[in-house]
Each structure stands twice: as structure tokens, then as C-alpha cells.
């Protein structure tokens, strides 16, 4: 008889505020900041610190990671799609800013999109890619217009000039190219950079173009305003070098952006700083040039006087008009402020709206620790206005735990514990803590337990969001916290077990302690017994009936003991590398172990015999859990996948893809209707069980057909 299983599908993804691989940009209204979150992006209301809209592709996978975002000018946003996103698979998506609906998906690039920019009219979109090509798209017709080829490396930035008639592109091939879009030909190739060009931008009046690379200076170009301008211009040139501005930072330039009125330009490096320059008008620049010339003359006069006393002849300075001195680039671009942040900056964007009173501009930026920050820039200082950080962890998620009612989810990272609503993805509480490697809810769901890398055991109050006690539990990092169940399989209030790298497995009991300064009591724990092991403890698991406790050690073995007497029962040996995770089925008949050797092994608990060894993942298996009251199980690994297995038939039922980095942990609901996974990409993903049936036989037949087709195609290719 053919057996049917129920399929699991992606349902929700949360925890990511801003991906480090993409840029940030304001939407056409200028009120919301668009920031990519892996395979989707959100529009953030910075004042409230909440996402007002989320833009999600119909299918979710790591290949759809958002690599760049662009929004059309506000005046043109009503006529066509006003937001565009480029993805890692080379596709371009057009979105409606009001409804958040994806209006079109455009395919043309062979690799990841790396730059996007709308024309001033909003009807044309230019995209650059890692495949070295530039494609012009008709946003209204939702179709490609033509392709521009010429760059020999990834296109890193692009912009429109002359009311959208010309396009300027820069690349990692060290060249800037100017294209005439009417003839679809390259008008000018600009060299001079000694390393890869990473970004450029033009001021709104199209007087200056600034480009940046890993060179120790910025290059500033004048833009030709008309055909008749200047006799020293080449007939076809659109850009002419104005000068170079020395930079303070040694890191390469990552983003260059002008503000709305062109009075400021921000040059962000691939580090923790962003230099903000002020562009002086002609009067101020001439005045500064006069002061520079006056200082130069004074120094020359002083040097000549000193040389005359020594009998040395000094060549006179060339004659210059002191009333109309030559203005150089340093007379126009003046360093105003240096913005320094605590973490590396990924991207910057000026707000297109009018700044608050007394400020020159509002600058938003994304950091590589999953934070968005907004600063006000004035002549005196740069001040932080808003910060969006509560909606995600600053680093990867190392453990997840669901409470008994499955309505609260606890996650840990290197410095915080967060409590989430797993149904909506809303962050309810954030508690500062140590580096949490494992976690569990105390029965009653009022308290949480956190085992840290330093060996401390932290108790947090879920309702108040406070850490109420920190116990020095172990001398090494705590790798596992497991609640002790009753004989009927329900979790009781007896206590819990911790396993640590200090070779100890400790048993703890709960107790209420009177506070010294009040009449209230709070939860504490006390160590009642200790099981000494001969190596580091990597994982601990207790059978649902409370009969056995299994301990995984660094020597690649798993020791099974009787829980009541702690007498030795079984030794499970067979993994070639240490066992990192394990779980015991609800009926206590099976134990599954996952190892750094990429294998899952299914063992019988009666005799310790290995039923099956499965090559499960392409990298280390990081967590494995049985679905309650079944022999189905889920495993996650460093290969970024989540896999669903039948432990009786030893069959792979389903592979769930969506995470963009190593998956560290998973939690399964008490009814098995959904699972939650946490990853190094800082995202938490929920996968729901559906009513759609899954048949392994059909899957195997489809795979066989695909294999035969690939063989036939290979033979046909050889014949050709």
C-alpha cells in the first residue's frame, strides 16, 4: 500500500532587519526606507521603528536573495512601477509601492544583479550585473529594450545624465563608460582609477560626478552642460576630470551618494566610517581659492626672505590673478563631518525629504549587525535620530525553544535573548544576556533557562523581560538544557539537566527564593547530583518516558544511562566525527544521532543496534528532532537545508530550502503542525504542515525520469 505523508511548506520568515549584501534606498514618497531582508525587502517607518510593508516574491529560496533595490523619482512614481529589486539569480522584479504587489519579473541577466537605477522619467530602468552587461528596461511595457556590452567585469554602479539620454556605468574593470542611449553606443571611456571602481553618483544639477575605488583619493569629474561649452572639451566627451580629493580612510569606497539639493555628498567606506563633504557654491569656492592663493604667497614671501638672508636665489611664483584665481577641486569639496559607527556600514542613503529644522540633511545607513540607523547632519556634528534593531538579533541564532502552548518562541544569540510570537513574527521581549548556546522554557511558561558559552545558567522572567538570576553552573560552555519528563511523557516540574564542556552532566531542581528587599519570591535552581564523564559533553537527550538519558561526547560516542540510578546502559559507537545533536522518539524505541561527519544514524534503544546510517547533509548535521508521537524527524545542517525523514523506512521525504547560511537549530511544535529553524543568516523561518499529500513513490519516479532525460541529453550532446 502506498503511504501518504503531509507536506511542509514555508510560512513565515522574520528576524532580519537589513541584509549586508544589499543597499538601502528611500521609497518614492521619501517617508520609508527600503531595506533588503535576504529574499525579500521591507519598507521601514523609521520614526515608529516598524515595517509598514513587506515585499515578498512568490517563491522563496536562497537564489532569490535581494542584491540591490531602487526606487523611481517621486514625480514619476504614479505612472508606473515605482520600486525595483535585483536578485541573486539575475532576475529583476517590479513592485507597486502602495500595494506591495509584484507586477512583473524580468529575466535577462545570467548572474546576480549588482546595480539598479531609474531614469528621471521613471519609465526606464537600467540594471547592471555580475555578468558585465547593462540592460535597459521599459517599466511601463515591462519588457527589455536593449543590452549594452563593453565592461569586462562586474558592473558596480550606474546613473542617468542629460534627462535620461545618457547612461554612465562603472565597473570593477577600473573604467567608467558613458553611453548614448539613442544610438546605443559608448561615447567615452574614462580611466585613471588604479583599482576596482565600486560606486559613483552625480549631483541633481549634473555639475559634478564623484567616483570612488580602493585608491587613496576620490575622483571628481565635471559634466558637460551643453555642446557649445568650452573649447578645451573633446567633441564627444561628457566627463572631464576636475581633480582628486585625498581620503582619510584606507578602506575601499563602498557607496557614494549626494543629498537632495546637491550640497552634501557622503562617501562610505567598507568599514565603520563615512566621510561627508560639503559642496561650496561658486562664491564660496572663489573666496576659498583666494585665501589659498593668499596663504601660498605669504609662505613664498617668508621663504624668499629667509633665503635672501642665506644668499639663496628662489624662483618666483608664476603670476596668478588674485581677483579671479583658478578654482580647484579642494576649493569646492570641503570635508564637513566624519560619521563613525560601532559596526561596519553596508550602505547609506540621504532622505529626499526636507530635513528637520537646523539640519543640513538626514542620512540613513544599514550596518552589518542587522541594524538600521538614521543620523541628522549639521555644520557642528552628526547626531543619531532613530535606530531599528529590536526586530532581529545582532548575530546568528544559536538556539530555539517553543513553550508548551506553542505561542511563544525563545531565541538566543551572542548577547541577547528574544521572545517572539511564532504566528506573526513580532518580537515581544528582548533581554540582554551572555552568549546563549541552548535554551528551554520552565514548565508554566513564566520563566526561561539560558545556557551560555561561559558556563553560566541564566533565568529570565518572560513577562517582565528581565534576567532574574545568573548561576555559575559549569566551568565550561553549556551545550544542552533538557527538561526531565514524567513517566507518562509530560514535562513535569521536577527539574532539568545540563551538559557542558567541563565533562559534567548536572541535574537541577527548581526552588522559589524570597527576595531580600520585598515579599515576593522568584525562581532559582539548585544542583542535586552530577554525572561525571571522561570527555566534553556535546549533547544530552532524555527519553519522553524519563527512563534513559543519552550523553554525546567529544570522542564520537554516545553513552546511555538509566535516569534514576545513572547506571550505564548502552554505548552507541559508529560515527567518525563527534555527535552534535540527538533525539529520542516519543515511544522511547528509537534514538537518532546527527554528527559532524554529515550522517544521521538511527539506533534501537533496546539493544543499541544501528538500524540505519544515512548520508543526510552536505555538511555537519547541527540539530535533529522527532515529530512528537511519530517516527518522522527533521534535521538541519550547515549545508543550509532542512530535511524531513521517515525513521522507519529510512526515506528522505522532503528537503526545505530557504536559509542563506548555516542552519544551527530547530524547534518542533507539540502537535507537529509547524517547525521553526534558526540560522547564521540571522533569520528565523517557520514551516507549516499543509493538507497536501506527498507520495515517495511519485517522487522517486519523477527523479528517475529526470535522470533518464539528463542521460539522453548527454548522449545527444556528444553526438552533436
Amino acid at each position: 500500500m502506498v503511504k501518504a505523508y503531509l507536506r511542509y511548506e514555508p510560512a513565515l520568515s522574520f528576524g532580519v532587519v537589513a541584509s549586508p549584501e544589499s543597499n538601502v534606498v528611500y521609497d518614492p514618497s521619501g517617508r520609508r526606507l527600503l531595506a533588503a531582508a535576504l529574499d525579500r525587502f521591507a519598507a521601514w517607518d523609521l520614526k515608529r521603528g516598524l515595517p509598514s510593508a513587506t515585499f515578498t516574491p512568490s517563491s522563496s529560496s536562497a537564489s532569490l536573495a535581494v542584491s540591490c533595490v531602487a526606487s523611481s523619482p517621486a514625480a514619476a512614481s504614479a505612472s508606473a512601477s515605482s520600486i525595483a529589486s535585483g536578485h541573486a539569480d539575475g532576475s529583476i522584479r517590479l513592485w507597486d509601492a502602495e500595494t506591495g504587489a509584484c507586477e512583473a519579473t524580468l529575466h535577462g541577466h545570467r548572474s546576480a544583479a549588482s546595480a539598479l537605477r531609474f531614469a528621471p522619467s521613471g519609465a526606464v530602468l537600467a540594471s547592471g550585473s555580475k555578468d558585465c552587461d547593462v540592460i535597459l528596461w521599459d517599466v511601463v511595457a515591462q519588457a527589455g529594450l536593449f543590452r549594452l556590452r563593453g565592461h569586462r567585469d562586474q558592473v558596480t554602479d550606474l546613473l542617468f545624465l542629460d534627462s535620461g539620454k545618457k547612461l554612465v556605468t562603472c565597473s570593477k574593470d577600473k573604467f567608467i563608460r558613458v553611453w548614448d542611449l539613442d544610438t546605443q553606443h559608448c561615447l567615452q571611456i574614462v580611466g585613471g582609477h588604479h583599482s576596482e571602481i565600486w560606486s559613483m553618483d552625480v549631483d541633481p544639477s549634473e555639475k559634478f560626478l564623484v567616483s570612488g575605488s580602493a585608491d587613496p583619493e576620490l575622483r571628481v569629474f565635471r559634466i558637460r552642460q551643453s555642446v557649445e561649452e568650452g573649447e578645451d572639451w573633446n567633441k564627444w566627451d561628457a566627463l572631464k576630470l576636475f581633480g582628486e580629493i585625498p581620503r582619510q580612510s584606507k578602506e575601499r569606497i563602498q557607496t557614494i551618494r549626494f543629498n537632495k539639493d546637491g550640497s552634501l555628498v557622503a562617501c562610505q567606506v567598507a568599514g565603520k566610517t563615512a566621510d561627508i563633504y560639503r559642496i561650496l557654491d561658486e562664491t564660496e569656492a572663489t573666496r576659498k581659492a583666494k585665501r589659498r592663493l593668499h596663504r601660498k604667497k605669504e609662505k613664498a614671501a617668508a621663504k624668499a626672505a629667509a633665503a635672501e638672508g642665506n644668499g639663496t636665489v628662489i624662483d618666483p611664483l608664476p603670476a596668478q590673478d588674485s581677483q579671479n584665481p583658478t578654482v580647484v577641486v579642494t576649493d569646492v569639496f570641503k570635508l564637513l563631518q566624519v560619521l563613525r559607527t560601532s559596526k561596519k556600514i553596508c550602505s547609506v542613503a540621504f532622505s529626499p525629504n526636507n530635513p528637520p529644522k537646523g539640519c543640513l540633511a538626514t542620512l540613513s545607513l544599514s550596518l552589518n549587525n542587522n541594524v538600521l540607523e538614521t543620523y541628522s547632519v549639521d555644520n557642528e556634528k552628526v547626531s543619531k535620530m532613530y535606530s531599528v534593531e529590536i526586530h532581529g538579533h545582532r548575530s546568528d541564532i544559536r538556539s530555539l525553544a517553543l513553550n508548551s502552548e506553542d505561542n511563544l518562541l525563545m531565541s538566543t544569540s551572542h548577547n541577547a535573548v528574544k521572545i517572539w510570537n511564532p504566528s506573526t513574527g513580532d518580537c515581544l521581549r528582548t533581554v540582554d544576556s551572555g552568549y546563549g548556546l541552548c535554551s528551554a522554557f520552565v514548565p508554566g511558561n513564566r520563566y526561561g533557562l539560558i545556557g551560555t558559552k561561559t558556563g553560566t545558567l541564566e533565568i529570565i522572567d518572560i513577562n517582565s523581560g528581565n534576567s532574574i538570576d545568573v548561576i555559575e553552573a559549569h566551568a565550561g560552555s553549556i551545550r544542552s538544557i533538557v527538561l526531565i519528563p514524567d513517566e507518562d511523557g509530560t514535562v513535569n516540574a521536577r527539574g532539568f539537566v545540563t551538559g557542558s564542556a567541563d565533562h559534567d552532566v548536572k541535574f537541577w531542581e527548581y526552588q522559589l527564593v524570597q527576595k531580600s528587599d520585598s515579599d515576593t519570591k522568584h525562581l532559582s535552581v539548585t544542583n542535586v547530583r552530577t554525572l561525571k564523564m571522561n570527555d566534553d559533553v556535546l549533547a544530552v537527550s532524555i527519553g519522553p518516558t524519563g527512563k534513559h538519558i543519552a550523553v554525546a561526547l567529544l570522542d564520537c560516542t554516545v553513552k546511555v544511562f538509566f535516569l534514576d540510578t545513572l547506571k550505564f546502559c548502552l554505548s552507541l559507537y559508529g560515527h567518525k566525527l563527534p555527535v552534535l545533536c540527538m533525539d529520542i522518539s516519543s515511544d522511547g524505541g528509537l534514538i537518532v544521532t546527527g554528527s559532524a561527519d554529515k550522517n544521521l544514524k538511527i539506533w534501537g534503544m533496546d539493544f543499541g543496534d544501528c538500524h540505519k546510517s544515512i548520508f543526510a547533509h552536505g555538511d555537519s548535521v547541527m540539530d535533529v528532532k522527532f515529530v512528537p508521537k511519530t517516527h518522522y524527524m527533521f534535521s538541519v545542517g550547515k549545508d543550509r537545508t532542512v530535511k524531513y525523514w521517515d525513521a522507519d523506512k529510512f526515506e528522505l521525504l522532503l528537503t526545505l530550502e530557504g536559509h542563506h547560511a548555516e542552519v544551527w537549530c530547530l524547534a518542533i511544535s507539540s502537535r507537529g503542525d509547524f517547525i521553526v529553524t534558526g540560522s547564521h543568516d540571522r533569520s528565523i523561518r517557520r514551516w507549516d504542515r499543509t493538507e497536501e499529500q506527498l507520495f515517495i513513490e511519485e517522487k522517486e519516479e519523477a527523479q528517475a525520469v529526470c535522470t533518464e532525460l539528463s542521460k539522453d541529453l548527454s548522449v545527444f550532446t556528444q553526438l552533436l
Side-chain angles (χ1 to χ4, degrees):
M1 182 177 178
V2 177
K3 187 173 182 179
Y5 304 88
L6 294 181
R7 186 182 296 273
Y8 284 78
E9 292 184 350
L12 192 64
S13 176
F14 52 94
V16 180
V17 177
S19 301
E21 293 82 12
S22 178
N23 64 315
V24 292
V25 65
Y26 277 86
D27 74 343
S29 68
R31 296 189 298 269
R32 304 180 301 176
L33 185 69
L34 304 176
L38 302 179
D39 52 5
R40 63 199 68 200
F41 63 98
W44 290 89
D45 185 329
L46 298 174
K47 290 184 179 180
R48 297 169 56 211
L50 296 172
S52 58
T54 301
F55 302 82
T56 307
S58 56
S59 60
S60 175
S61 70
S63 64
L64 288 178
V66 178
S67 53
C68 50
V69 184
S71 65
S72 68
S77 61
S79 60
S81 303
S82 52
I83 296 175
S85 62
H87 297 261
D89 64 349
S91 62
I92 310 293
R93 283 171 169 76
L94 302 177
W95 305 82
D96 187 292
E98 299 299 327
T99 64
C102 181
E103 298 185 334
T105 301
L106 309 174
H107 297 281
H109 290 294
R110 299 184 302 276
S111 55
S114 54
L116 286 176
R117 190 85 67 136
F118 278 91
S121 65
V124 176
L125 174 72
S127 65
S129 170
K130 289 184 178 180
D131 63 10
C132 312
D133 291 351
V134 177
I135 299 179
L136 275 294
W137 307 89
D138 186 330
V139 177
V140 178
Q142 299 176 356
L145 296 174
F146 51 85
R147 186 187 303 267
L148 301 175
R149 287 193 171 101
H151 285 294
R152 297 184 178 182
D153 208 334
Q154 173 185 331
V155 179
T156 53
D157 210 347
L158 36 77
L159 52 89
F160 286 90
L161 292 179
D162 194 11
S163 301
K165 296 179 182 178
K166 294 184 177 68
L167 181 71
V168 184
T169 60
C170 65
S171 167
K172 291 169 71 174
D173 63 8
K174 308 178 187 178
F175 291 106
I176 297 173
R177 287 177 175 262
V178 183
W179 307 82
D180 187 320
L181 299 184
D182 292 331
T183 62
Q184 302 174 23
H185 282 80
C186 181
L187 295 177
Q188 184 182 7
I189 301 176
V190 182
H193 281 285
H194 302 288
S195 58
E196 301 165 338
I197 305 173
W198 288 97
S199 184
M200 64 180 178
D201 202 19
V202 62
D203 67 312
S205 61
E206 296 189 0
K207 289 177 61 179
F208 301 109
L209 183 145
V210 182
S211 63
S213 63
D215 299 345
E217 61 275 324
L218 296 169
R219 291 175 66 84
V220 181
F221 298 88
R222 284 193 180 275
I223 301 172
R224 192 169 192 163
Q225 301 293 327
S226 63
V227 178
E228 295 79 14
E229 181 182 350
E231 297 180 356
D232 55 344
W233 284 77
N234 187 290
K235 181 179 180 181
W236 301 110
D237 284 356
L239 301 178
K240 184 178 180 181
L241 182 64
F242 181 39
E244 297 178 342
I245 306 172
R247 296 196 296 119
Q248 295 182 341
S249 176
K250 293 182 179 179
E251 286 100 351
R252 68 168 176 86
I253 288 290
Q254 182 153 325
T255 310
I256 297 176
R257 289 294 178 264
F258 279 88
N259 70 335
K260 179 183 178 182
D261 60 7
S263 61
L264 299 176
V265 60
C267 302
Q268 169 241 326
V269 303
K272 300 179 180 180
T273 63
D275 297 336
I276 302 173
Y277 293 88
R278 183 176 180 185
I279 292 88
L280 305 181
D281 57 26
E282 292 184 6
T283 305
E284 291 177 310
T286 304
R287 191 182 303 121
K288 188 175 179 182
K290 288 179 180 179
R291 290 199 302 268
R292 174 176 52 81
L293 185 59
H294 181 67
R295 287 195 301 269
K296 194 172 183 180
K297 286 182 178 180
E298 287 183 342
K299 288 182 180 179
K303 191 174 182 180
E308 187 177 344
N310 297 330
T312 307
V313 178
I314 300 294
D315 293 334
L317 286 173
Q320 296 188 46
D321 187 354
S322 59
Q323 296 302 318
N324 297 298
T326 302
V327 176
V328 297
V329 65
T330 52
D331 296 329
V332 180
F333 288 78
K334 174 187 175 184
L335 182 62
L336 182 67
Q337 301 289 348
V338 178
L339 171 61
R340 291 182 172 84
T341 59
S342 58
K343 296 294 180 180
K344 184 179 176 181
I345 306 172
C346 298
S347 179
V348 298
F350 277 106
S351 171
N353 291 344
N354 295 326
K357 189 176 181 181
C359 296
L360 298 175
T362 301
L363 180 68
S364 294
L365 47 87
S366 63
L367 304 181
N368 73 339
N369 65 337
N370 205 22
V371 171
L372 294 174
E373 292 182 347
T374 303
Y375 291 82
S376 63
V377 182
D378 57 31
N379 290 316
E380 302 297 328
K381 60 180 179 179
V382 179
S383 304
K384 185 188 293 187
M385 297 173 63
Y386 314 115
S387 179
V388 179
E389 58 185 22
I390 65 171
H391 300 275
H393 283 285
R394 307 283 75 76
S395 63
D396 50 342
I397 295 159
R398 298 309 300 261
S399 75
L400 292 171
L402 284 163
N403 68 347
S404 59
E405 298 175 0
D406 298 330
N407 59 2
L408 291 179
L409 174 70
M410 179 163 53
S411 61
T412 66
S413 67
H414 82 289
N415 66 348
V417 177
K418 287 185 179 288
I419 309 298
W420 308 83
N421 181 340
S423 300
T424 62
D426 295 333
C427 181
L428 307 177
R429 298 281 187 276
T430 299
V431 186
D432 293 334
S433 73
Y435 198 137
L437 297 178
C438 51
S439 58
F441 278 93
V442 175
N445 302 326
R446 290 183 56 192
Y447 300 97
L449 301 170
I450 310 298
T452 69
K453 195 173 184 178
T454 58
T456 60
L457 186 65
E458 299 188 12
I459 303 174
I460 62 170
D461 188 316
I462 303 298
N463 293 328
S464 65
N466 295 323
S467 178
I468 60 175
D469 202 359
V470 179
I471 298 105
E472 298 293 335
H474 288 273
S477 58
I478 301 176
R479 304 286 176 80
S480 286
I481 294 179
V482 185
L483 302 182
I484 300 176
D486 276 330
E487 293 182 359
D488 59 359
T490 60
V491 176
N492 66 4
R494 287 164 53 192
F496 61 95
V497 178
T498 57
S500 168
D502 64 359
H503 303 190
D504 287 349
V505 177
K506 291 189 176 183
F507 294 75
W508 305 82
E509 286 187 352
Y510 307 113
Q511 60 181 5
L512 291 175
V513 177
Q514 184 82 30
K515 287 186 177 180
S516 58
D517 55 347
S518 65
D519 296 333
T520 59
K521 294 182 178 181
H522 70 86
L523 181 72
S524 186
V525 296
T526 181
N527 179 218
V528 291
R529 57 178 176 167
T530 301
L531 175 63
K532 297 283 186 180
M533 306 303 295
N534 58 3
D535 214 332
D536 291 12
V537 177
L538 300 183
V540 176
S541 184
I542 297 178
T545 59
K547 183 179 179 181
H548 297 104
I549 178 172
V551 182
L553 302 177
L554 190 61
D555 63 4
C556 308
T557 64
V558 176
K559 307 293 185 185
V560 182
F561 301 87
F562 292 104
L563 186 61
D564 52 357
T565 62
L566 297 185
K567 287 186 177 180
F568 177 76
C569 176
L570 296 170
S571 180
L572 308 180
Y573 179 82
H575 282 290
K576 297 178 181 179
L577 291 173
V579 173
L580 305 177
C581 54
M582 58 185 174
D583 195 27
I584 300 174
S585 62
S586 298
D587 58 6
L590 297 177
I591 179 172
V592 58
T593 56
S595 167
D597 63 10
K598 311 174 187 178
N599 288 309
L600 287 173
K601 288 184 183 291
I602 301 168
W603 316 75
M605 286 294 288
D606 293 332
F607 306 104
D609 54 322
C610 182
H611 291 182
K612 188 69 173 179
S613 181
I614 305 171
F615 183 78
H617 287 269
D619 208 331
S620 301
V621 182
M622 300 309 299
D623 205 353
V624 61
K625 282 185 173 60
F626 279 101
V627 177
K629 300 179 182 179
T630 71
H631 280 183
Y632 307 145
M633 60 187 185
F634 282 92
S635 65
V636 298
K638 285 187 176 181
D639 62 354
R640 308 182 179 187
T641 61
V642 182
K643 294 193 176 183
Y644 183 34
W645 307 86
D646 185 336
D648 291 328
K649 290 190 172 184
F650 318 123
E651 291 278 3
L652 173 63
L653 306 179
L654 202 60
T655 299
L656 303 173
E657 296 180 345
H659 281 292
H660 296 244
E662 300 93 331
V663 187
W664 294 118
C665 50
L666 74 100
I668 302 180
S669 67
S670 57
R671 297 187 301 274
D673 55 341
F674 71 90
I675 70 167
V676 186
T677 55
S679 168
H680 184 77
D681 63 15
R682 304 188 181 103
S683 73
I684 300 173
R685 291 181 180 264
R686 170 175 163 154
W687 316 79
D688 284 359
R689 187 172 62 199
T690 65
E691 295 302 319
E692 182 183 352
Q693 290 187 335
L694 172 68
F695 298 95
I696 296 300
E697 288 75 8
E698 291 182 0
K699 180 181 174 182
E700 291 175 349
E701 289 176 4
Q703 288 179 344
V705 170
C706 291
T707 303
E708 289 298 325
L709 287 175
S710 62
K711 288 181 179 178
D712 293 343
L713 182 61
S714 176
V715 171
F716 181 70
T717 305
Q718 291 177 0
L719 290 174
L720 289 177

